[in-house]
Amino acid sequence: MANGAIVLIDEVETGLEPHRLRHLVSTLRDAAADGGTMGQVFLTTHSPTSVVDTDAETLAVVRSEQGKTTVSRVPAGLQAVVRAAPDALLARRVVVAEGKTELGLCRAMATGWSESNQGVPAAHVGCVFVLGNGNAQAPTRSIEIASLGYDVALLADSDQPLNPAPQELAQGGVELFQWDEETCLEERLALDLPIDALSEVLEFAIELRGSQSVLDSLSDSVGNGVGRQESVEEYLRAGVSEEDIRTFIGQCANGQKWFKREDHGERLGGIVVAHLDAMNGTDTLQKLNALRDWVYA
């Protein structure tokens, strides 16, 4: 192809397996680079595979609203977001989940939300859930995505200060959903789930980590000569208050990293969904309902 040619490809991913698509995008990028055989290449895509394999500064977000079309260049500084959360650039609304457990919870909640919104999934209103990669990166990543014109929400723990702080997140166009009382997700759920659901959480932890690891760590936390018990009910019968056993389970779940995987968070979210009707008045239900309303606004 002659130097200086302009190539236009609409929906470049059509008919291509991901590995072939990545090769094509790479080949076209090299051909259009300095010293290449082409002048310019313009691609449109709805595939995260195309996005993740592209340099951020060569990307542009195109919107058409009320007859007006805008094109926003993606800054080079957002390369980490492009690599980690390409789905975010293909959505209308983005929920950034602070960690893997939160992301799993969001995916589980989304299934329940669709049933309560006339069967309309969150995906059908243009919403995606992406990983924020922890307290150190999630707030910044949220602001960076919002800077491109997306509606962005951040679901975050409150046991550690956010940086950037909530005020800066608001100024950056990010809607913050954060648990009350300086708690992480595991602690919040342990405080708010009905007691039978808390037993399910403990049983799930034992399934994942083994009874010795889980029950020994819980026994060490309870202390006070109570000794190792085998269930929530046994601790209650041994004289441990419900408030205390909730606190100890939440602390152990967080400290021992019982559920720090997306699939484990999704299973944990399934327990939450199954018991929502018994969670009226809790902070968990309030925040999740508010997040649902934001997604479907």
Side-chain angles (χ1 to χ4, degrees), residues 155-170:
L155 178 63
D157 293 336
S158 58
D159 57 335
Q160 298 179 13
L162 293 178
N163 185 21
Q167 183 177 358
E168 296 174 80
L169 287 166

Side-chain angles (χ1 to χ4, degrees), residues 100-113:
K100 294 178 181 179
T101 314
E102 286 81 8
L103 183 57
L105 173 69
C106 285
R107 296 195 188 284
M109 295 307 305
T111 300
W113 291 342

Side-chain angles (χ1 to χ4, degrees), residues 9 17 35 42 47 49 72 76 112 154 159 163 165 182 187 191 234 240 252 258 266 273 276 286 292:
I9 304 178
E17 298 91 343
F42 292 90
S47 169
T49 302
S72 304
L154 171 62
D159 57 335
N163 185 21
E182 298 183 353
E187 291 170 334
L191 291 172
E234 287 188 15
V240 179
C252 286
W258 288 350
E266 191 163 358
V273 170
L276 284 176
Q286 177 187 346
R292 175 203 61 199

Side-chain angles (χ1 to χ4, degrees), residues 90-93 110 113-114 119-129 295-296:
L90 300 169
R92 294 187 179 92
R93 321 204 93 194
W113 291 342
S114 66
V120 178
H124 284 198
V125 294
C127 183
V128 300
F129 304 94
V295 167
Y296 286 91

